Every structure is written in C-alpha cells, then in structure tokens.
Amino acid sequence: MEHCRQFCQEPGLLISVIRHRAGAPSLRLGLGPGLRPVDAIGQLQKLLNCNSFWATARSRVQLRTMLKGSSVVVSAWSGQQLVGFGRANSDGVFRAVLWDVVVAEQSQGHGLGRQLVEALLAAPALAQVERTYLMTTNCEGFYRKLGFNAVQHQRLMRREASGE
Ligand SMILES: CC(C)(COP(=O)(O)OP(=O)(O)OC[C@H]1O[C@@H](n2cnc3c(N)ncnc32)[C@H](O)[C@@H]1OP(=O)(O)O)[C@@H](O)C(=O)NCCC(=O)NCCS
C-alpha cells in the first residue's frame, strides 16, 4: 500500500507526499498521484538534473533500476508536478542509509525537505533500525535539525566502479 499525506506549503498550495511501496512500482510505471500517467521517470530525471550535483545524467533505465532496488521511496507532488524526492535502503533492523533527498528549487524553504525525510524515517523499514546514515556535502545544518549528527571518529570510504 502506498501512504499519502497532504500539507499546505503555503496558502492555496497543496502538496501531496507519497510514500511508495518498496521498489516504487507505480513510479517505475510512470504514474503519479491517483495513479495517473505523468511521465514520473522523466520528471524524476529532470528534478535530479536540475537540483542535484551528484545525481545528474542518470538514464531512465538506471532510474528504474535504482527505484526497484530502494527499500523506501518518497515523492512529493504539486498537482501532477514532481517537486520532491527521497529514498532509502534498509535491512529493517540494524542499518539504513538515506539517498537522493531533493526538493525543486521553487519549493525549497517551506518545510518540504523536512516532510520528505520524516516520511522516510517513519517508514516501517526504517522506523526500528538501530542506525540511519547519510552523506551530505553542504546540507549538514538541514540534517542536524532532523536529529542527525556528524560522526567524528569514523571515515567515509568508497570504491568507484572500475574504469571511473
Ligand atoms: C536540502 C533540501 C532537501 C532542503 O529542502 P527544503 O524544503 O528547502 O528544507 P526545509 O524547508 O524543510 O528546511 C527544514 C529546516 O532546515 C533548514 N535548512 C534547509 N536547508 C538547509 C541547509 N542547506 N543548511 C542548513 N539548514 C538548512 C531550514 O532553514 C529549516 O529550518 P527550520 O526548521 O528551523 O525552519 C533542499 O534545499 C534541496 O533539495 N537542495 C538541493 C539538493 C540537496 O543538496 N539535497 C541534500 C542531499 S544530501
């Protein structure tokens, strides 16, 4: 079951925040609120291209694969327009990681980012986990307000795919 809640971002502007089933099948099919066809993958591609620096140039095929492999996916809509997105992976008990939290520029600064992160954290797959991680370059203050703290005694390590 998808979970949907609506809130007024400002007077007269209603935003729907949808928490999708694992793998976000409706988004992968291109569907938006009310399961209407809205080219959701194309809209997601544009949202990430325009509002992130780490998630640009992802193909439609890659985005579908990404959604399929995500434990929790949230999307935010102003009418049929995608204005926010976030996702997470979780083992359901010990560890979870948030990824790709993005709000469209025109919708930033009115509480939508907070709504998206809170919807991810409230999902059954994340609500009980011991630790939830994320990586951020310049939004530390945003995540601090949501209960995250910088880790001093550990290093972020990564391995790039060969050839990159
Ligand atoms: C970061 C982002 C998701 C925040 O979304 P938003 O809708 O503008 O955030 P909100 O309005 O919900 O802000 C919640 C609180 O965090 C604060 N905040 C927002 N962005 C912040 C930032 N970059 N640094 C510090 N504080 C920030 C707000 O002032 C607000 O504080 P308040 O509760 O005291 O009023 C959005 O700016 C965005 O998409 N940025 C581009 C993509 C990006 O960098 N994403 C983060 C990936 S790690």
Side-chain angles (χ1 to χ4, degrees), residues 51 54 101-103 108-111 113-114 135-136 139 141-142 145:
N51 299 282
W54 67 91
V101 175
V102 172
V103 171
Q108 292 177 9
H110 299 282
R114 175 187 288 276
M135 279 148 252
T136 185
C139 293
F142 168 68
K145 292 192 170 187

Side-chain angles (χ1 to χ4, degrees), residues 1-163:
M1 271 291 284
E2 291 189 335
H3 180 271
C4 180
R5 70 176 296 271
Q6 296 184 313
F7 79 107
C8 263
Q9 198 175 41
E10 53 190 75
L13 183 54
L14 195 65
I15 302 287
S16 304
V17 176
I18 300 174
R19 192 171 71 217
H20 299 269
R21 287 196 282 139
S26 62
L27 274 187
R28 282 189 280 130
L29 286 170
L31 308 177
L35 298 179
R36 291 196 193 88
V38 293
D39 185 22
I41 296 296
Q43 290 205 52
L44 176 58
Q45 193 176 41
K46 190 172 165 200
L47 182 77
L48 295 173
N49 282 345
C50 294
N51 299 282
S52 80
F53 60 86
W54 67 91
T56 58
R58 293 178 178 178
S59 72
R60 285 169 174 261
V61 171
Q62 288 173 322
L63 289 173
R64 285 199 184 89
T65 303
M66 175 195 88
L67 292 171
K68 192 171 183 186
S70 299
S71 314
V72 187
V73 176
V74 294
S75 62
W77 302 83
S78 172
Q80 302 299 305
Q81 188 187 353
L82 183 68
V83 292
F85 177 80
R87 66 187 184 96
N89 286 101
S90 173
D91 62 21
V93 57
F94 296 120
R95 298 290 184 265
V97 191
L98 306 192
W99 306 108
D100 299 333
V101 175
V102 172
V103 171
E105 192 174 0
Q106 75 275 10
S107 299
Q108 292 177 9
H110 299 282
L112 181 53
R114 175 187 288 276
Q115 295 272 342
L116 289 169
V117 173
E118 288 179 349
L120 287 170
L121 297 175
L126 269 78
Q128 305 299 326
V129 294
E130 189 177 55
R131 275 188 196 148
T132 300
Y133 292 82
L134 61 85
M135 279 148 252
T136 185
T137 306
N138 48 27
C139 293
E140 183 180 331
F142 168 68
Y143 288 110
R144 279 190 185 278
K145 292 192 170 187
L146 287 154
F148 288 84
N149 292 302
V151 179
Q152 305 298 346
H153 60 284
Q154 289 180 316
R155 294 202 60 161
L156 174 67
M157 297 182 72
R158 69 182 187 192
R159 180 176 183 273
E160 305 289 347
S162 59

